[in-house]
Amino acid sequence: MTTFLGVPIRRSTEPENPLRGRETFPVAAKRAVGDTQLRRNLGRATATIRAKRAAMVSEVDDWEALRDTASAVKADVMARLPELLEQLEAAVIARGGKVHWANDALEANRIVTALIKATGADEVVKVKSMATQEIGLNEYLEEHGIAAIETDLAELIVQLGHDKPSHILVPAIHRGRAEIREIFLAEMADAPADLTDEPRMLAMAARAHLRRKFLSARVAVSGANFGIAETGTLAVVESEGNGRMCLTLPDTLITVMGIEKLLPTFDDLEVFLQLLPRSSTGERMNPYTSLWTGVTPGDGPQEFHLVLLDNGRTNALADELGRTALHCIRCSACLNVCPVYERAGGHAYGSVYPGPIGAVLTPQLTGMSGHDDVNSTLPYASTLCGACFDACPVKIDIPTMLVELRSRAVDADRGHGLPGGWAAAMKAASWVMSNEKRFAAAETMSKAGRVLAGRKGRISSLPFPLSGWSTSRDLPAPPQRTFREWWRAEHGDGPRPTGTSTAADAAADAAAAGAAATPGAAGAAAGTDGPAEGTDR
């Protein structure tokens, strides 16, 4: 293994885009779901976080009112973003800080690198930051001879393991204790030889390793959970104390903040500091809340730089529906309740923003260019169960956004040569269902599916091209008789129900087919595994 100033160097020389994976979500997810250890780690961790969050939320009588207020504050920020950004800039400068504007990832990386080189340092300590992951700062610094040392325990595990984060809040959620121990022994030169996989011992080893870095570092790089336009104050909340060390000990502090992280006034923190800890870690209050405003002579960093990052955010802001994705406060509550994330994990999304919020935010930041774009598959990484909306502390309507983004992905393919498989299937269905006789004939032919379903009552495998459907979901066996047959058996050849028409007949037949199917058919149609006792929720 090769290191630079004690930091592992990436083994792959191929450049990566932190917001765009190399393969589509279905391909990556299929491989991830086959990893039983990964599913076990994810299932255990997300279940624990969900339980803690539920307990903490239940204590707050006005939880829904807090959500409504937070949503309104963020909507106000989006409506007045240019004005509030200028107010923040003026406040930071008035208090001794310097503000830099970055249009994209490359510009942000160049700014940060130049600021570090100006100090003469070749090593920086970092506070966990989604913004710096989004722009690939660590890799960029490495290419320019600067070592970036992650000080958050989970981020350190990911860095030492030559890995990628798989969760917004808990980047190493996919790793077990035994794996972490092996990583430390292999990659941490000062790890105790008798290190065990006891959590306390692992934490103590990381603490001893990092303490020397804290005491010698001259430059620190951080993100920000919130920026207060009124006062120029920045806020970082964390649980380990490493952030506090980075924000107070070095001579120079560089903060990279997405332009959407603003709050109008200091009083707004009252709302968000109740919502964020409960939604993220299931705590009443996070152990460390660090607030700083510019530079204070003789106390803390004596040089402060704020880099305001766009990187596609103004594109999302221009979208009336998409801008609500910018309300996100990175609590990760939507990941912990998502059945897709729990089974596939974060790496399958390709982006540093995984889970439901990543499925809507990433395409907004990068744009989509039809189904050939890997990010165009992200909006399909959902069952549309709505759990993410229920859990979101700022009430982002993720399911509605997912449906809209799916529509846009399909629309982007229209008019480009022959129709794709999905478009062809929908045209065929429209042709069949627009004629009573054709639809009746299709119903009769569908009974052959009972043979494929067999005794289990579900069709799990279909020939090409229908295999595109059955590879990822089951289909309920067709009912023994159609609605029309049932009606004739019950009422003879008399008149049909009052008010029905050919189109209504088709809808009624479809509904009757679902109701008359074998037990669990409704669940199978939704992509689950049948009877309630075998269904994954």
Side-chain angles (χ1 to χ4, degrees):
M1 189 214 53
T2 304
T3 61
F4 176 70
L5 295 179
V7 178
I9 294 178
R10 290 175 294 123
R11 292 179 173 133
S12 173
T13 58
E14 183 180 351
E16 296 183 0
N17 185 337
L19 291 176
R20 192 182 297 278
R22 294 195 178 98
E23 55 189 1
T24 64
F25 179 83
V27 172
K30 185 175 182 179
R31 182 176 60 254
V33 168
D35 186 336
T36 55
Q37 182 61 49
L38 174 66
R39 293 188 63 173
R40 188 177 300 113
N41 292 346
L42 289 169
R44 184 184 303 115
T46 54
T48 299
I49 297 173
R50 283 197 304 270
K52 290 177 61 179
R53 176 189 177 278
M56 292 299 100
V57 168
S58 66
E59 295 180 352
V60 184
D61 294 334
D62 61 345
W63 181 255
E64 290 304 315
L66 286 171
R67 293 180 70 204
D68 289 335
T69 301
S71 179
V73 170
K74 295 302 289 186
D76 176 54
V77 169
M78 296 304 112
R80 299 192 292 129
L81 190 57
E83 166 197 335
L84 292 174
L85 284 171
E86 291 181 356
Q87 184 181 6
L88 174 72
E89 179 185 37
V92 170
I93 293 174
R95 290 161 177 79
K98 299 177 182 178
V99 177
H100 311 264
W101 299 79
N103 183 59
D104 55 24
L106 179 59
E107 187 172 2
N109 285 330
R110 286 174 173 171
I111 291 171
V112 174
T113 302
L115 292 173
I116 295 171
K117 286 190 172 183
T119 69
D122 59 5
E123 180 179 273
V124 299
V125 288
K126 286 185 74 248
V127 185
K128 180 183 179 302
S129 163
M130 294 303 299
T132 59
Q133 289 176 6
E134 176 188 327
I135 62 177
L137 178 63
N138 288 12
E139 293 76 14
Y140 190 89
L141 291 177
E142 177 188 310
E143 292 170 0
H144 290 78
I146 300 171
I149 301 163
E150 296 289 354
T151 64
D152 174 84
L153 177 57
E155 287 286 2
L156 178 65
I157 293 167
V158 169
Q159 185 177 48
L160 293 176
H162 306 278
D163 203 352
K164 295 180 181 179
S166 63
H167 191 278
I168 290 177
L169 180 71
V170 194
I173 194 173
H174 57 291
R175 294 290 194 180
R177 296 187 317 188
E179 292 177 290
I180 296 170
R181 173 182 177 272
E182 294 302 321
I183 289 172
F184 278 11
L185 288 174
E187 306 290 347
M188 190 185 291
D190 50 2
D194 59 348
L195 182 65
T196 70
D197 64 0
E198 181 185 353
R200 180 177 179 276
M201 299 304 295
L202 294 172
M204 292 295 290
R207 177 181 296 175
H209 172 75
L210 291 171
R211 185 166 292 274
R212 287 185 288 274
K213 301 296 184 182
F214 288 135
L215 295 176
S216 62
R218 294 157 52 194
V219 181
V221 176
S222 82
N225 291 100
F226 306 105
I228 311 302
E230 177 186 48
T231 61
T233 302
L234 282 299
V236 163
V237 299
E238 39 107 7
S239 300
E240 300 172 15
N242 63 294
R244 179 69 57 81
M245 301 283 276
C246 291
L247 296 168
T248 56
L249 293 179
D251 297 325
T252 300
L253 173 60
I254 304 169
T255 297
V256 181
M257 186 184 84
I259 57 175
E260 83 282 13
K261 291 296 189 70
L262 283 179
L263 297 179
T265 71
F266 200 89
D267 289 344
D268 294 322
L269 273 177
E270 177 187 354
V271 174
F272 289 87
L273 290 183
Q274 293 182 73
L275 291 169
L276 182 56
R278 288 178 168 86
S279 296
S280 56
T281 56
E283 297 172 292
R284 296 182 182 91
M285 183 177 181
N286 47 284
Y288 295 90
T289 300
S290 299
L291 305 172
W292 69 99
T293 308
V295 174
T296 301
D299 183 13
Q302 295 302 289
E303 188 173 346
F304 171 59
H305 298 270
L306 174 61
V307 180
L308 294 172
L309 176 68
D310 185 331
N311 204 34
R313 285 162 174 79
T314 53
N315 294 333
L317 184 66
D319 187 313
E320 187 173 352
L321 178 63
R323 72 178 59 174
T324 59
L326 298 179
H327 293 191
C328 177
I329 59 174
R330 310 293 192 269
C331 69
S332 75
C334 61
L335 279 69
N336 301 325
V337 299
C338 178
V340 175
Y341 174 85
E342 184 177 353
R343 287 152 181 80
H347 292 157
Y349 293 80
S351 167
V352 297
Y353 297 116
I357 188 60
V360 294
L361 180 60
T362 299
Q364 290 286 341
L365 296 178
T366 65
M368 299 185 296
S369 55
H371 282 301
D372 291 336
D373 184 345
V374 293
N375 282 351
S376 293
T377 66
L378 292 180
Y380 295 89
S382 171
T383 64
L384 300 180
C385 65
C388 50
F389 175 63
D390 294 337
C392 179
V394 292
K395 287 194 169 182
I396 301 174
D397 190 354
I398 295 176
T400 297
M401 295 179 65
L402 289 168
V403 173
E404 172 63 22
L405 289 173
R406 291 181 185 187
S407 175
R408 294 179 187 179
V410 172
D411 288 342
D413 280 344
R414 298 186 193 276
H416 299 286
L418 295 174
W422 182 256
M426 291 299 100
K427 286 184 179 295
S430 175
W431 181 79
V432 170
M433 299 180 71
S434 63
N435 180 275
E436 180 178 356
K437 292 183 178 180
R438 288 196 293 263
F439 190 80
E443 285 181 320
T444 302
M445 293 173 60
S446 70
K447 291 182 181 180
R450 296 187 62 80
V451 177
L452 294 174
R455 298 178 61 183
K456 62 183 179 181
R458 297 195 303 275
I459 301 173
S460 302
S461 178
L462 288 170
F464 181 84
L466 299 177
S467 57
W469 173 275
S470 59
T471 53
S472 58
R473 55 182 68 79
D474 293 337
L475 193 68
Q480 293 181 353
R481 57 181 180 175
T482 68
F483 174 79
R484 299 162 193 266
E485 291 171 340
W486 171 84
W487 182 266
R488 282 194 294 269
E490 293 292 324
H491 304 281
D493 292 326
R496 293 180 180 145
T498 302
T500 59
S501 63
T502 300
D505 285 343
D509 285 344
T518 54
T528 57
D529 295 328
E533 60 269 24
T535 300
D536 291 331
R537 292 185 296 169

